[in-house]
């Protein structure tokens, strides 16, 4: 079970937390944790957290899931971010045998054909590496924001992830897109050039498109699917069913 504060006394649930500057929030969150992990997709929210963690809580491990299908711009940004903040970002990659089994069964781009195939691809390329990244972690920090989509409107500052036996903290839950942009400008934070080309949310290249004016920030993710709450399974709340894991 998680070490550090219990969820009912977690600092992220205290009344003062909402009024704290980000650096203070992160320092408080990380204090007393033995193995705090921040997972970054190198999106703009995650770049804000990386910048703030490098000052507030350098003991927090920063990890990314190198799915094998990322944009070249995202891969370049990993190296640029390490250099800018003097940090090392841990890369977690898919298991080669599991990936080969997925490709054999569904085809490399089989995720366009069915939701089942898409979940199977996300399981091999993201969920399984994530499970390894979070092994033994007592705190998982994410860059989720309530304003990113209707499905994320209820994102709390902290919650128990019972399946992973840890506390999941979302210190940017109440930040707006304007807050994010202001922080980036004020702190010279490097960001993915794709954001300026209409991609507010950036995942794997074949599964991400630019959005149109008025669309949800996450409308460009798996745009061919109809489910309005579509996610890759990384951030499915305990009360919601998780996507099926990849077929064996
Ligand atoms: S986002 Fe697309 S390419 Fe990436 S893991 Fe999921 S289905 Fe596969």
């Amino acid at each position: 079970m998680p070490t550090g504060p219990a969820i009912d006394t977690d600092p992220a649930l205290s009344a003062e937390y909402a009024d704290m500057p980000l650096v203070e929030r992160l320092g408080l969150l990380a204090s007393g944790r033995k193995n705090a992990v921040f997972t970054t997709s190198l999106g703009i929210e995650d770049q804000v957290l990386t910048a703030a963690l490098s000052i507030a809580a350098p003991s927090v491990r920063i990890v990314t899931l190198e799915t094998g299908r990322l944009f070249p711009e995202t891969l370049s940004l990993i190296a640029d971010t390490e250099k800018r903040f003097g940090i090392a970002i841990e890369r977690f990659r898919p298991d080669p045998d599991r990936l080969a089994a997925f490709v054999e069964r569904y085809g490399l781009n089989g995720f366009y054909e069915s939701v089942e195939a898409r979940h199977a691809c996300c399981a091999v390329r993201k969920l399984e590496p994530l499970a390894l990244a979070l092994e033994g972690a007592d705190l998982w920090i994410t860059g989720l924001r309530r304003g990113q989509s209707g499905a994320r409107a209820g994102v709390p500052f902290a919650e128990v992830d019972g399946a992973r036996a840890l506390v999941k903290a979302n210190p940017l839950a109440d930040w707006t897109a304007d807050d994010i942009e202001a922080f980036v400008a004020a702190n010279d934070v490097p960001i993915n050039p794709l954001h300026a080309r209409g991609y507010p949310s950036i995942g794997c290249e074949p599964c991400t498109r630019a959005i149109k004016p008025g669309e949800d920030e996450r409308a460009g993710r798996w745009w061919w699917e109809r489910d309005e709450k579509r996610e890759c399974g990384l951030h499915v709340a305990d009360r919601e069913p998780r996507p099926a894991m990849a077929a064996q």
Side-chain angles (χ1 to χ4, degrees):
M1 285 305 291
T3 54
I7 189 68
D8 57 350
T9 58
D10 196 284
L13 294 179
S14 68
E16 308 82 57
Y17 187 82
D19 297 325
M20 285 178 194
L22 180 60
V23 166
E24 252 181 76
R25 279 186 187 182
L26 293 173
L28 189 63
L29 270 179
S31 106
R33 307 286 183 181
K34 290 191 171 63
N35 186 1
V37 176
F38 163 52
T39 50
T40 175
S41 67
L42 285 296
I44 192 165
E45 287 86 1
D46 290 343
Q47 290 300 91
V48 164
L49 283 176
T50 296
L53 282 167
S54 70
I55 298 164
S59 64
V60 173
R61 293 167 52 214
I62 302 179
V63 313
T64 195
L65 308 178
E66 251 195 32
T67 64
R69 304 302 304 265
L70 298 179
F71 285 91
E73 290 87 343
T74 304
L75 293 172
S76 298
L77 187 57
I78 297 175
D80 292 348
T81 302
E82 290 181 314
K83 200 168 162 196
R84 166 76 176 80
F85 298 113
I87 57 171
I89 298 176
E90 297 175 44
R91 279 88 155 160
F92 283 80
R93 301 185 174 95
D95 176 86
D97 292 338
R98 302 270 302 143
L99 190 53
F102 164 79
V103 172
E104 190 180 334
R105 174 162 179 176
Y106 294 102
L108 180 65
N109 291 336
F111 41 77
Y112 291 128
E113 305 303 323
S114 71
V115 173
E116 178 207 337
R118 205 270 284 172
H119 285 169
C121 186
C122 284
V124 173
R125 293 186 185 274
K126 294 181 168 183
L127 293 180
E128 292 171 12
L130 175 72
L132 290 177
L134 294 178
E135 228 169 51
D138 50 5
L139 177 70
W140 175 22
I141 298 173
T142 86
L144 298 190
R145 277 195 309 108
R146 293 167 192 154
Q148 284 169 326
S149 69
R152 293 189 175 179
V155 165
F157 283 126
E159 58 193 320
V160 167
D161 184 329
R164 297 186 175 101
L166 46 70
V167 170
K168 179 177 177 184
N170 312 302
L172 298 179
D174 60 340
W175 279 41
T176 65
D178 287 347
D179 294 333
I180 295 287
E181 278 172 24
F183 185 100
V184 164
N187 295 282
D188 191 25
V189 177
I191 59 170
N192 197 317
L194 291 170
H195 289 310
R197 291 185 230 149
Y199 294 77
S201 176
I202 304 168
C204 292
E205 185 168 15
C207 299
T208 309
R209 66 154 170 78
I211 63 167
K212 299 175 190 125
E215 283 187 321
D216 242 21
E217 288 182 33
R218 288 178 60 80
R221 306 292 296 278
W222 310 290
W223 69 92
W224 65 91
E225 291 183 7
R226 288 171 185 270
D227 179 6
E228 290 306 308
K229 293 176 80 176
R230 58 190 181 269
E231 294 273 357
C232 59
L234 299 186
H235 299 298
V236 176
D238 274 358
R239 59 189 175 281
E240 296 177 40
R242 283 172 194 277
M245 295 298 282
Q248 300 299 309

